[in-house]
Amino acid sequence: QAFDNTYLFYGAYRVGPESSSAYSIRLAYLLSPLACLLLCFCGTLQRMVKGLPQKPFLGRDHRMLLSAKVFSSWDFCIHVQEAATIKKQEISNEFKVELEEERRFRQVQQQTQAQRACRLLTYLRVNLLMGLLVVGAISAIFWATKYSQDNKEESLFLLLQYLPPGIIALINFLGPLLFVFLVQLEHYPPNTEVNLTLIW
């Protein structure tokens, strides 16, 4: 019965009191997008977990033979030239990633204790810088919103009301570029670089 008495599903928002509604429309407007974002996050997390390779759980000694990958990777149902080209590039990229991960694993095994400590310090510095960037971005959005709301009476309010979306667009444009650059400084394997960039 609460759904019959609400303005939420008609796209209207009333500032006045809600005497006829069984629940708070203001709260519904706040929680509906948050619930959608939470569901999207859970779906993305589930797909990421399904897509994790089994190799890290089996240990480094258990490796798929490259010859098995060569002979079992091709899809013989492909009849279109464009699809065949894409499949060839996909198989080539898989081999490149596999060989790069093996090379990096051997480099890590040959490092001395001092080199490992240096690498750990690099990880800490880069991750601290990334954390500061995230906090700075959130602070910039907060202060831009607060400034635009506090100066409603000024003549430039038309421009000021676009300040928060402009800051958000700038952060969405520059943030991923910075994170891609910073994650590459840590010298992770390509798969880890992609996952860390997505997380940041």
Side-chain angles (χ1 to χ4, degrees), residues 17-133:
E18 308 154 15
S19 56
S20 62
S21 180
Y23 66 95
S24 171
I25 283 219
R26 293 183 187 97
L27 193 59
Y29 267 97
L30 176 68
L31 293 181
S32 298
L34 290 178
C36 290
L37 285 172
L38 182 65
L39 287 174
C40 289
F41 175 72
C42 291
T44 305
L45 194 64
Q46 181 187 10
R47 284 176 181 258
M48 284 174 64
V49 168
K50 280 185 181 177
L52 280 176
Q54 298 300 317
K55 181 174 60 179
F57 301 113
L58 297 172
R60 277 286 173 182
D61 296 333
H62 179 82
R63 297 184 55 76
M64 178 187 277
L65 294 174
L66 288 179
S67 59
K69 198 174 257 194
V70 167
F71 293 113
S72 65
S73 293
W74 186 254
D75 184 3
F76 290 97
C77 296
I78 295 176
H79 299 293
V80 182
Q81 181 62 37
E82 291 85 9
T85 305
I86 291 171
K87 187 66 178 176
K88 279 191 258 183
Q89 289 174 348
E90 179 188 335
I91 293 171
S92 171
N93 287 340
E94 283 181 12
F95 282 126
K96 287 176 186 173
V97 167
E98 187 76 26
L99 292 171
E100 180 66 18
E101 285 185 356
E102 183 63 30
R103 184 184 70 80
R104 287 177 185 267
F105 176 69
R106 290 189 184 197
Q107 275 183 349
V108 169
Q109 292 297 324
Q110 294 171 353
Q111 284 180 344
T112 63
Q113 293 291 333
Q115 288 173 330
R116 287 183 185 172
C118 242
R119 191 173 169 197
L120 181 62
L121 283 175
T122 304
Y123 290 163
L124 291 175
R125 277 188 298 210
V126 171
N127 281 297
L128 181 66
L129 182 58
M130 286 184 181
L132 290 174
L133 281 173

Side-chain angles (χ1 to χ4, degrees), residues 159-179:
L159 292 175
L160 286 177
Q161 70 181 357
Y162 291 108
L163 183 64
I167 296 288
I168 291 171
L170 186 67
I171 288 169
N172 283 337
F173 176 71
L174 292 178
L177 298 176
L178 283 171
F179 290 146

